[in-house]
Amino acid sequence: MALITSVLSMRNLFVLSLALNVSLILRTMYEREQSHHWLSLETQKGQAVQETRLALSPTSSSSAATTQVNTQDGGEKILNLARGDPTMFEKYWRQMGDKATVVIPGWQHISYFSDVTNICWFLEPKFAKEVERVHKAVGNAVTEGRHIVVGTGSSQLYLAALYALSAHDLTEPVSVVSEAPYYSSYPSMTDCLKSGLYKWMGDARSFNKEGAYIELVTSPNNPDGHIRRSVVNRSEGILVHDLAYYWPQYTPISSPADHDLMLFTVSKSTGHAGMRIGWALVKDREIASRMTKFIELNTIGVSKDSQLRAAKILEVISDSSERAGSSAEGESFFEFSYNLMSERWKLLREAVEHSGSFSLPEFRPGFCTFLNRVSESQPAFAWMKCERDIEDCESFLQGHKIFTRGGKHFGVGTEYVRISMLDRDDNFHLLVKRLSAIHI
Amino acid sequence: MALITSVLSMRNLFVLSLALNVSLILRTMYEREQSHHWLSLETQKGQAVQETRLALSPTSSSSAATTQVNTQDGGEKILNLARGDPTMFEKYWRQMGDKATVVIPGWQHISYFSDVTNICWFLEPKFAKEVERVHKAVGNAVTEGRHIVVGTGSSQLYLAALYALSAHDLTEPVSVVSEAPYYSSYPSMTDCLKSGLYKWMGDARSFNKEGAYIELVTSPNNPDGHIRRSVVNRSEGILVHDLAYYWPQYTPISSPADHDLMLFTVSKSTGHAGMRIGWALVKDREIASRMTKFIELNTIGVSKDSQLRAAKILEVISDSSERAGSSAEGESFFEFSYNLMSERWKLLREAVEHSGSFSLPEFRPGFCTFLNRVSESQPAFAWMKCERDIEDCESFLQGHKIFTRGGKHFGVGTEYVRISMLDRDDNFHLLVKRLSAIHI
């Protein structure tokens, strides 16, 4: 009798759980229609995931819930890989222990100002020093003769660049373009305030308007991981290079990047998205000064606490890179991350091959001057295409409880999706397990 | 012989120093013409001050230079009180020692997300809890039934409010107004991107355009310290209350503020300007959601490190406030700050009276529910008027090496200046000494 009750309860729970998931998926799909921005979308999805977890696991706390994974996957769990939340790197930083800890007394760093002799007066000198050091250690960007501008993530620096590069006396806004597939947030970030200074004009390949323009070159590209060059090539153009992913774990470092305006961020290089710290390397003094002015007008500077923490994290990375080879101290950050990405891409490609329903971009290996050997491109996102007449890949995968971001957000067709490769281990393994099992 | 050489050297140095100061003042005045924004202006002035100091004190390091004060004032030092840098509070936080220290391990707070069940998904729960607690302890704002939105300083929240309150489908931008004298950054922050959503329309008293408008009510007011109410009073208006200075050290707390959208910041309440942390208390869920969306588009969230540090600082303040009266633990933060401001305003009024060349606003004392006694208004800025036919007060004071911000930046006449009351002790005492000695 006890057994029957137990079985009934489990069935009841299973049905209840299924119903809950269907309603959450429907709700999320409905909410998606209401929303145009990826992070709102993600939050709503995240909320659905969270609610599901909380419902299934009433003892889990809000903050702990996202780390809890049902490794006994009964297919219930909504897997949210639409965002690029770099939680994968947490493991490395746990291993580092106290080395990467910052301590900030209450009386320090009270002032608005960090260094009034610098064009970027809110730039912490220690952070600036570690930015220069890590680029030198990795060899991925020229810093000599550059001004460093710190931003609240590279998002703010992107907006600062638009402000700095726009001609404020023109009657019409400057055109902003990027080759599709482009970073899905560029359109909404550019146009959200209906600025009279700049305007999003879409795919750089089809751009044919006369006059000044700003071309965004993301290399390696988000979403597809390919190395990019500018495509418009007209004299009125100004280039902004978004090099968030030009680090050894993602792509072979061929030479130090040497462009006029380059953007970097700790989110993707070290994994510390929650710090909201990015930096720009800017050749022209006047442009650096105008970017600084934008950040004054926008947020009167950038968190000193996060700059100091970022400096510490970059210091640990440079220390570990300079030590590379001496095994006593453990792996360097980039070796650890490269190996993890390598393992993940191997598993993903096996799953996709086993399924037969999808395809992935192919990359040619290249010599990496940092690792001092031939290395692979293993992007932070998988840009996956649904094959076999699946027209809407995002919706199709949603049916399998895998949330991704569809191609139309990136200016291309719905047969593509972008999947984060940077989530925690358990989520990633669940992804490959599910993809592997899809056969059409 | 040695004596003569020594005297000559000192004279030479003095002349050199004078010449340097004159050239720096002239340069600053020239640069002021080129600049429209207060913080650029301040940076340039700060730079002048810094350069002077570095020139006079070649051993001083960049970061230490701003804390060095020539207490043997020979009239050489440029006193920059144009900005409201709240370094005065440093002293209290030094006294608190380890109590106010934060420790952040490298692996913590990596994710973009803080709490996906909250509308403001990047709001750290610990920070939200301490915001509610400090308002309850101080009694200066209603938090029940409010959504908290955290921002990179209240500047970002001001922009988020404009975005959230604008109707995005209108053909013309909504008018933004504030009663003069208004906060000098409102015009440039509002118009810097030539937004099609909102437009600065100046003094609320002379505003007579039909249609929707947003009125900014800063209370106590920056620059003049007076308690403010809305002045337009039309049905199409939406109010934003900037309550950065509604804390017991500046003004009597009469009752908990209970408006639809209220802005606060740690810069002025606790003195931690370098954190860049502000918060909004928002009654309407949809407005809170749109403000959150703006911050997503602008900076994809707000530094977690600074939120955690702000939570710790607010915790110490609430602890000290709840303990008030038990002398064993020392003064509460607000008692300490109130007494310091009280002493400073006393000294300033004495200096102004002694000089006879200036006047200051008068305030009526009021009952402060937090201090549980009648308390004074002692604003963070002195809004000073030059008397005796001095037409341009800012330039006049520059001649005495006191840098302030002139009335025209606040939408009024040049006979007024705003002077920061929150600088370090030595600078403040130099200010009163110099003002006291000016007789026309």
Side-chain angles (χ1 to χ4, degrees):
Chain A
M1 183 64 191
L3 185 68
I4 293 171
T5 315
S6 161
V7 169
L8 270 175
S9 302
M10 277 191 66
R11 278 194 188 154
N12 288 348
L13 271 176
F14 182 66
V15 170
L16 185 70
S17 160
L18 267 185
L20 182 66
N21 272 302
V22 169
S23 92
L24 285 169
I25 290 170
L26 287 173
R27 180 186 143 192
T28 308
M29 288 169 79
Y30 166 76
E31 282 176 343
R32 230 186 96 211
E33 296 301 312
Q34 312 294 309
S35 166
H36 297 294
H37 187 249
W38 71 267
L39 210 51
S40 300
L41 169 61
E42 284 183 1
T43 311
Q44 288 155 3
K45 285 177 182 172
Q47 209 157 342
V49 176
Q50 181 78 352
E51 284 167 11
T52 309
R53 285 182 193 158
L54 290 174
L56 294 172
S57 166
T59 56
S60 65
S61 79
S62 160
S63 60
T66 51
T67 61
Q68 292 194 348
V69 173
N70 178 7
T71 45
Q72 305 291 316
D73 175 36
E76 300 311 313
K77 188 186 172 194
I78 292 175
L79 205 51
N80 184 355
L81 299 167
R83 67 196 186 204
D85 205 23
T87 43
M88 178 186 94
F89 298 103
E90 201 180 73
K91 201 158 59 173
Y92 181 83
W93 296 111
R94 277 186 189 270
Q95 289 174 14
M96 285 301 102
D98 288 348
K99 270 188 211 162
T101 299
V102 286
V103 177
I104 310 178
W107 58 271
Q108 281 187 353
H109 313 295
I110 278 192
S111 169
Y112 285 104
F113 298 87
S114 295
D115 178 4
V116 290
T117 65
N118 196 311
I119 290 178
C120 184
W121 53 265
F122 46 78
L123 172 66
E124 281 293 314
K126 190 166 167 2
F127 174 70
K129 189 187 128 202
E130 294 300 338
V131 161
E132 287 178 1
R133 187 172 163 224
V134 78
H135 282 307
K136 200 170 173 187
V138 174
N140 63 339
V142 172
T143 58
E144 288 79 16
R146 256 66 175 191
H147 303 281
I148 298 174
V149 180
V150 64
T152 310
S154 59
S155 302
Q156 189 178 40
L157 291 164
Y158 167 64
L159 296 171
L162 293 187
Y163 174 86
L165 299 172
S166 303
H168 293 217
D169 52 354
L170 289 187
T171 49
E172 70 169 0
V174 65
S175 302
V176 182
V177 296
S178 187
E179 184 185 355
Y182 43 70
Y183 175 39
S184 49
S185 290
Y186 283 150
S188 50
M189 287 176 70
T190 310
D191 283 348
C192 70
L193 294 181
K194 296 188 182 178
S195 173
L197 301 181
Y198 45 76
K199 188 173 167 52
W200 176 252
M201 294 294 280
D203 190 355
R205 287 256 173 229
S206 53
F207 177 67
N208 54 14
K209 192 166 173 290
E210 287 299 306
Y213 68 91
I214 296 169
E215 183 178 351
L216 315 169
V217 181
T218 307
S219 183
N221 190 40
N222 173 359
D224 66 11
H226 287 295
I227 296 299
R228 282 282 184 86
R229 276 178 177 59
S230 64
V231 300
V232 184
N233 293 322
R234 287 206 316 253
S235 60
E236 309 97 321
I238 307 175
L239 303 182
V240 175
H241 280 81
D242 183 346
L243 305 183
Y245 302 96
Y246 192 47
W247 295 97
Q249 68 267 49
Y250 303 124
T251 194
I253 302 301
S254 55
S255 64
D258 186 16
H259 307 289
D260 289 349
L261 203 167
M262 303 183 277
L263 305 182
F264 290 92
T265 166
V266 293
S267 302
K268 308 306 176 187
S269 53
T270 78
H272 291 83
M275 281 187 192
R276 311 309 312 123
I277 290 291
W279 65 95
L281 302 178
V282 187
K283 206 179 263 179
D284 186 88
R285 185 185 164 91
E286 179 59 25
I287 299 297
S289 170
R290 289 169 71 172
M291 288 178 73
T292 299
K293 188 176 178 101
F294 173 82
I295 297 172
E296 282 172 22
L297 291 163
N298 196 223
T299 54
I300 321 187
V302 173
S303 161
K304 286 192 179 182
D305 313 311
S306 286
Q307 287 189 64
L308 293 166
R309 190 170 175 223
K312 167 61 78 179
I313 294 294
L314 292 178
E315 184 186 2
V316 172
I317 286 183
S318 292
D319 285 351
S320 84
S321 300
E322 287 165 7
R323 246 192 356 246
S326 75
S327 58
E329 293 277 357
E331 280 177 311
S332 82
F333 172 77
F334 292 116
E335 278 166 352
F336 172 93
S337 309
Y338 180 87
N339 292 337
L340 196 51
M341 291 303 289
S342 182
E343 174 69 15
R344 288 189 170 196
W345 271 92
K346 185 169 160 282
L347 291 172
L348 181 72
R349 288 196 188 276
E350 283 170 5
V352 162
E353 194 175 341
H354 188 260
S355 159
S357 312
F358 312 103
S359 64
L360 289 167
E362 295 295 333
F363 304 97
R364 274 188 301 186
F367 187 80
C368 177
T369 55
F370 174 78
L371 296 171
N372 200 28
R373 64 171 193 263
V374 170
S375 78
E376 302 284 334
S377 283
Q378 35 199 37
F381 297 104
W383 182 240
M384 200 170 77
K385 190 179 175 194
C386 274
E387 304 287 348
R388 301 179 191 272
D389 300 329
I390 302 167
E391 281 178 15
D392 185 340
C393 195
E394 185 182 339
S395 298
F396 174 77
L397 289 172
Q398 265 181 24
H400 293 271
K401 296 196 185 65
I402 302 169
F403 285 79
T404 63
R405 197 175 304 161
K408 68 180 178 182
H409 296 283
F410 304 88
V412 297
T414 55
E415 67 273 28
Y416 288 96
V417 292
R418 193 195 74 169
I419 307 176
S420 170
M421 294 291 285
L422 305 184
D423 215 303
R424 292 190 176 87
D425 280 347
D426 289 347
N427 284 340
F428 180 77
H429 290 128
L430 205 48
L431 168 74
V432 293
K433 186 178 162 192
R434 286 193 189 164
L435 286 181
S436 182
I438 296 172
H439 306 287
I440 302 171
Chain B
M1 183 64 194
L3 185 66
I4 295 172
T5 316
S6 160
V7 169
L8 271 174
S9 302
M10 277 192 64
R11 278 195 189 155
N12 288 347
L13 272 175
F14 182 66
V15 171
L16 186 70
S17 160
L18 268 183
L20 181 66
N21 272 303
V22 169
S23 91
L24 286 170
I25 290 170
L26 286 172
R27 181 185 140 193
T28 309
M29 288 170 77
Y30 166 77
E31 282 175 343
R32 229 186 97 210
E33 295 303 311
Q34 312 292 309
S35 166
H36 297 294
H37 187 251
W38 71 268
L39 210 50
S40 298
L41 170 60
E42 284 184 2
T43 310
Q44 288 155 5
K45 284 179 184 171
Q47 209 156 340
V49 175
Q50 181 79 352
E51 284 166 11
T52 310
R53 284 182 195 159
L54 289 175
L56 294 173
S57 166
T59 55
S60 64
S61 78
S62 161
S63 60
T66 50
T67 61
Q68 293 193 348
V69 173
N70 178 8
T71 46
Q72 304 292 317
D73 177 33
E76 301 309 312
K77 188 184 172 195
I78 292 175
L79 205 50
N80 185 355
L81 300 167
R83 67 197 184 202
D85 204 23
T87 44
M88 178 188 93
F89 298 103
E90 201 179 74
K91 202 160 56 173
Y92 181 84
W93 295 111
R94 277 185 189 271
Q95 289 174 14
M96 285 300 105
D98 289 348
K99 270 188 210 161
T101 299
V102 285
V103 177
I104 310 178
W107 58 270
Q108 280 186 355
H109 313 296
I110 279 194
S111 169
Y112 284 103
F113 297 87
S114 295
D115 178 4
V116 291
T117 64
N118 197 309
I119 290 179
C120 185
W121 52 265
F122 46 79
L123 172 66
E124 281 293 314
K126 188 167 169 1
F127 175 69
K129 188 187 130 205
E130 294 300 338
V131 162
E132 287 178 2
R133 187 172 162 224
V134 79
H135 282 306
K136 200 170 174 186
V138 174
N140 63 339
V142 172
T143 58
E144 289 78 17
R146 258 63 177 192
H147 303 280
I148 298 174
V149 180
V150 64
T152 311
S154 59
S155 303
Q156 189 178 39
L157 291 164
Y158 166 65
L159 296 171
L162 293 187
Y163 173 87
L165 299 172
S166 303
H168 293 218
D169 52 354
L170 289 188
T171 50
E172 71 168 1
V174 66
S175 301
V176 182
V177 297
S178 187
E179 183 185 355
Y182 42 70
Y183 174 37
S184 50
S185 290
Y186 283 151
S188 51
M189 286 176 71
T190 310
D191 283 348
C192 71
L193 295 181
K194 297 186 181 178
S195 173
L197 301 181
Y198 45 76
K199 188 172 168 53
W200 177 252
M201 295 293 281
D203 189 356
R205 287 257 173 227
S206 53
F207 177 68
N208 55 12
K209 193 168 174 287
E210 287 298 306
Y213 68 91
I214 296 170
E215 182 178 352
L216 314 170
V217 182
T218 308
S219 183
N221 191 38
N222 173 0
D224 67 9
H226 286 295
I227 296 298
R228 283 284 184 85
R229 278 178 176 57
S230 64
V231 299
V232 184
N233 293 323
R234 287 209 315 258
S235 59
E236 310 96 323
I238 307 175
L239 303 181
V240 175
H241 280 81
D242 183 346
L243 305 183
Y245 303 95
Y246 191 47
W247 296 96
Q249 67 266 51
Y250 303 124
T251 195
I253 302 301
S254 55
S255 64
D258 186 17
H259 308 288
D260 289 348
L261 203 167
M262 303 183 275
L263 304 182
F264 290 92
T265 165
V266 292
S267 302
K268 309 307 176 186
S269 52
T270 78
H272 292 83
M275 280 185 192
R276 312 309 313 122
I277 291 289
W279 66 95
L281 302 178
V282 187
K283 205 179 261 179
D284 186 88
R285 184 186 166 91
E286 179 59 24
I287 299 297
S289 170
R290 288 170 73 172
M291 288 179 72
T292 299
K293 187 176 178 101
F294 173 82
I295 297 172
E296 282 172 22
L297 290 164
N298 197 224
T299 55
I300 320 187
V302 173
S303 162
K304 287 191 179 183
D305 312 311
S306 286
Q307 287 189 65
L308 293 166
R309 193 172 172 221
K312 167 60 78 177
I313 295 293
L314 292 177
E315 184 186 4
V316 172
I317 286 183
S318 292
D319 284 351
S320 85
S321 300
E322 287 165 7
R323 247 192 354 247
S326 73
S327 59
E329 294 276 359
E331 279 177 310
S332 82
F333 172 76
F334 292 116
E335 279 167 351
F336 173 94
S337 310
Y338 180 86
N339 292 337
L340 195 52
M341 291 302 289
S342 181
E343 174 68 16
R344 287 189 171 195
W345 270 91
K346 185 168 161 281
L347 292 171
L348 180 73
R349 290 196 187 275
E350 283 170 7
V352 161
E353 194 175 340
H354 189 260
S355 160
S357 312
F358 313 103
S359 63
L360 290 168
E362 295 293 334
F363 305 97
R364 276 189 300 188
F367 187 81
C368 177
T369 55
F370 174 77
L371 296 171
N372 200 27
R373 62 170 193 264
V374 169
S375 78
E376 300 286 334
S377 282
Q378 34 200 39
F381 297 103
W383 183 238
M384 200 170 79
K385 190 180 174 194
C386 275
E387 303 289 348
R388 302 179 189 273
D389 301 330
I390 302 167
E391 282 179 13
D392 185 341
C393 195
E394 184 182 340
S395 298
F396 174 78
L397 289 171
Q398 265 180 22
H400 293 270
K401 297 196 183 65
I402 302 169
F403 285 78
T404 61
R405 197 174 304 162
K408 66 180 179 181
H409 295 284
F410 305 88
V412 297
T414 55
E415 67 274 27
Y416 289 96
V417 291
R418 193 195 74 171
I419 307 176
S420 171
M421 295 290 285
L422 304 184
D423 215 303
R424 292 192 175 86
D425 280 347
D426 289 347
N427 284 339
F428 180 77
H429 291 129
L430 206 48
L431 168 74
V432 293
K433 187 178 162 192
R434 286 194 189 164
L435 286 181
S436 182
I438 296 173
H439 305 286
I440 302 172

